[in-house]
Amino acid sequence: MTPTDRGSARTLGRDVVAGLTVWAILVPESLAYATIAGVPPVVGLYAAPAALLLYAVLGSSRHLVVGPMAAVAALSAAAIASLTTDPSTAIALTAALAILVGVFGLLAGLARLGFLASFISEPVLKGFIIGLALTIIAGQLPKLFGLERVSGNFFERIAELLGSLDDLQVAALAVGGTSLAVLLILRRLFARVPASLLVVAGAIVSARVFDLEGRGVEVVGPISAGLPPVGLPEVTLSDYLTLAASAAGILLVAFAEGLGGAKAYAARSGDQIDPNRELLGVGAANLGAGLSAGMAVSGSLSKTAVNVAAGARTQRSGIVAAVLTVLTLLFLTGLFEQLPEATLAAVVIAAVIELVDLSPLRRLHGLHSASLERIYGHATRADLIAAVAALAGVLIFDTLPGLFIGIGVSAVLLAYRASRPHVAVLGRSDAEGRWIDLERGGPARPAPRVQVLRPEASLSYINADSVRQAVLAMVDDAAAEELHAIILDLEVVGSIDATAGEMLVQLEADLDRRGIRLVVCGAIGQVRDLLTALGAGHLVDGAPAHVDAAVAAARAPRPGERPPPCS
């Protein structure tokens, strides 16, 4: 055997071990997440094989594991709950929703719309995930306590749960509480142990030995053995049209969540992730899941972490997990029929409780300074506000509305901050020879009879008038100093549009009427190009490259003009 053959065999062996490890977590979590989606547990298993195989073919990550996930399951449940309460119809609509997510994903990937992920900022996604996790936990607590299922938003679920505690089933609470405690302990002390599978197996054995169903503990019940039916679900065209908006939202969340996980582990191994291929991968995975009577899927950060920790090198680990899931459907579903619902709820709660992580919000709260406060006011903490808006939106208005509330608030705050760029007044540091913002302190002095200003943003129609007014206000404040020139340092202005270009022409005229020159310096290529195209090339043609040269040019007399005093 050659070294290459031995390396290939070693890689294959690691992928097989990783696939076994992923399967051990995938099966119980797929059963659990299906209950979040409001469909029978087996629907989660139906979704997994096709999703894993198709992502392995089209996705760009060597490590990402796709399958049923809490966020997508909750979004699916919210979309279907408003359309039907009939279980069989819910199953068909859930599969139809997955198909729509898949079609949208494939079309978006072919259209190279990978940039869509940027529409959900990281803070918004953090707030959304925390709110989603809290909502899921609130929905699973009744099962843990042996109570009837509750509905409504987070606060309504908690209120209804507290109002029905007198009816809790002690046996169900004992089973669920024990399952949850063991899960959390195993995950903390033995991270590589398939805790979910061990707890599920122990609960099934306990149910049989102690006749838990006879003691009032609800169990999963009959699970259809065999492969899933393949084909389109029996729904109408109008159903697809009704589900279209929800499918677009689910695709955005599934894509963003999966892309984040893929990039996190690609960075460790030096791999490159292609967002457009990820859209194709998540699209194909969802299409396959839906055509297999399954539910919508997405990339799983937790299962990907397990996959990597178990030594996975390629997507063969996902293929191994898919094959084992098929074998489970063919031969092992009967084992899960005695699984207590309280244990299933414990598996869900243990899986999502780690997502209730407030440390990102505390970090966002700390991203603040007095200088930023002076510039943006309350919008200084725009990322925190957007994250909290998404969190509150999910808790109050439900999952998908909460997501779009977070995106909307983030966009409004972004536009607000873009409309109010800081125009810094610069002074020259004798120690360093640099021009720095006088508001930020330090030993620096302004140029005599010349005011150097630096807009600290790209210039566009959003902020053009704000910049013009800021410059004129500073000129008025400095009128007593008999200004001779205003220097605009455009070094940090990355781009400019026609409105902002016309503003600079108008600003030059406004200043000229006051006997003040406008000198521009530091303009980059695209800014120079646009100003030239607008007929304002005189502002940048031969313009100084840096502030020191601009100060010297501003002090030079115009033709027929006496030179200004230097001090």
Side-chain angles (χ1 to χ4, degrees):
M1 180 181 289
T2 67
T4 300
D5 292 334
R6 284 195 294 271
S8 298
R10 190 182 306 113
T11 298
L12 177 61
R14 289 174 175 174
D15 285 337
V16 170
V17 172
L20 281 164
T21 307
V22 169
W23 167 80
I25 296 173
L26 178 70
V27 169
E29 289 193 354
S30 294
L31 295 171
Y33 292 147
T35 65
I36 295 176
V39 291
V42 74
V43 172
L45 293 181
Y46 285 166
L52 289 165
L53 293 173
L54 289 171
Y55 179 83
V57 173
L58 293 178
S60 65
S61 171
R62 294 190 294 122
H63 301 118
L64 187 69
V65 177
V66 296
M69 280 296 295
V72 170
L75 290 171
S76 177
I80 304 304
S82 60
L83 300 180
T84 184
T85 57
D86 178 65
S88 59
T89 305
I91 294 172
L93 290 174
T94 297
L97 182 61
I99 289 172
L100 270 182
V101 173
V103 170
F104 288 170
L106 289 172
L107 292 176
L110 293 173
R112 305 190 66 79
L113 299 181
F115 64 89
L116 285 173
S118 61
F119 280 88
I120 305 182
S121 69
E122 189 67 22
V124 168
L125 192 58
K126 290 290 185 185
F128 170 75
I129 292 296
I130 293 172
L132 191 62
L134 289 172
T135 301
I136 290 171
I137 290 171
Q140 294 297 313
L141 286 176
K143 290 184 182 179
L144 198 71
F145 294 162
L147 300 172
E148 293 294 323
R149 181 179 177 181
V150 297
S151 58
N153 64 31
F154 171 79
F155 299 103
E156 291 169 341
R157 292 180 181 186
I158 293 298
E160 190 173 342
L161 174 66
L162 293 175
S164 57
L165 285 179
D166 290 342
D167 300 324
L168 69 84
Q169 300 291 322
V170 176
L173 179 58
V175 171
T178 302
S179 299
L180 181 59
V182 173
L183 271 169
L184 296 177
I185 291 171
L186 287 177
R187 289 189 177 182
R188 177 173 290 275
L189 300 180
F190 308 100
R192 295 193 178 187
V193 171
S196 297
L197 188 64
L198 291 179
V199 169
V200 164
I204 291 172
V205 171
S206 298
R208 293 180 180 274
V209 171
F210 299 108
D211 187 24
L212 294 181
E213 187 175 10
R215 297 173 182 271
V217 178
E218 295 288 336
V219 297
V220 169
I223 299 177
S224 300
L227 298 177
V230 177
L232 292 171
E234 295 183 2
V235 298
T236 64
L237 178 60
S238 63
D239 290 326
Y240 281 108
L241 295 176
T242 302
L243 292 170
S246 296
I250 290 173
L251 173 63
L252 196 57
V253 173
F255 174 48
E257 194 171 6
L259 185 63
K263 284 185 173 181
Y265 288 96
R268 299 183 181 185
S269 56
D271 295 341
Q272 294 296 319
I273 299 300
D274 183 348
N276 296 307
R277 278 189 62 188
E278 287 304 296
L279 271 174
L280 292 174
V282 75
N286 275 281
L287 183 61
L291 291 175
S292 303
M295 56 189 284
V297 298
S298 72
S300 167
L301 184 59
S302 60
K303 284 188 275 292
T304 301
V306 169
N307 193 35
V308 173
R313 293 293 184 269
T314 72
Q315 278 292 334
R316 285 180 298 198
S317 63
I319 295 172
V320 170
V323 171
L324 291 173
T325 305
V326 169
L327 294 176
T328 302
L329 284 167
L330 289 173
F331 306 112
L332 302 178
T333 54
L335 295 178
F336 295 95
E337 292 180 356
Q338 288 297 309
L339 174 61
E341 291 275 5
T343 297
L344 207 53
V347 171
V348 173
I349 293 172
V352 302
I353 197 169
E354 63 188 30
L355 300 178
V356 186
D357 180 11
L358 300 181
S359 60
L361 300 185
R362 290 193 294 270
R363 184 176 62 84
L364 291 174
H365 183 270
L367 300 179
H368 170 268
S369 71
S371 298
L372 290 173
E373 182 77 32
R374 285 195 299 270
I375 299 169
Y376 299 117
H378 293 301
T380 300
R381 293 188 172 93
D383 290 329
L384 175 64
I385 294 171
V388 173
L391 169 58
V394 171
L395 295 181
I396 298 171
F397 299 107
D398 214 342
T399 48
L400 203 55
L403 173 64
F404 287 113
I405 286 171
I407 294 173
V409 169
S410 180
V412 169
L413 290 171
L414 179 64
Y416 175 77
R417 292 184 63 157
S419 71
R420 296 184 56 183
H422 179 47
V423 179
V425 180
L426 305 186
R428 195 176 194 280
S429 169
D430 292 329
E432 302 176 15
R434 295 187 304 113
W435 290 84
I436 61 175
D437 187 348
L438 291 174
E439 281 192 3
R440 294 186 174 273
R445 53 188 175 84
R449 301 185 184 279
V450 174
Q451 195 164 60
V452 183
L453 305 177
R454 181 178 65 205
E456 296 185 344
S458 293
L459 301 181
S460 68
Y461 70 95
I462 295 177
N463 57 27
D465 190 61
S466 175
V467 170
R468 176 174 172 269
Q469 295 299 330
V471 173
L472 293 177
M474 291 175 185
V475 169
D476 291 338
D477 291 342
E481 301 175 15
E482 298 181 2
L483 278 176
H484 177 72
I486 289 288
I487 295 174
L488 272 188
D489 179 11
L490 302 184
E491 183 179 4
V492 298
V493 176
S495 63
I496 191 171
D497 69 1
T499 303
E502 296 287 0
M503 178 273 292
L504 292 179
V505 174
Q506 181 62 47
L507 179 62
E508 182 186 33
D510 291 337
L511 294 174
D512 190 61
R513 284 191 292 270
R514 303 180 188 206
I516 299 173
R517 295 176 63 179
L518 176 65
V519 179
V520 172
C521 71
I524 65 171
Q526 58 180 298
V527 174
R528 300 168 68 91
D529 292 344
L530 189 123
L531 288 174
T532 300
L534 286 172
H538 64 282
L539 288 173
V540 290
D541 290 341
H546 51 81
V547 176
D548 284 323
V551 171
R555 289 173 174 166
R558 299 176 183 175
E561 181 183 58
R562 294 177 61 187
C566 292
S567 60

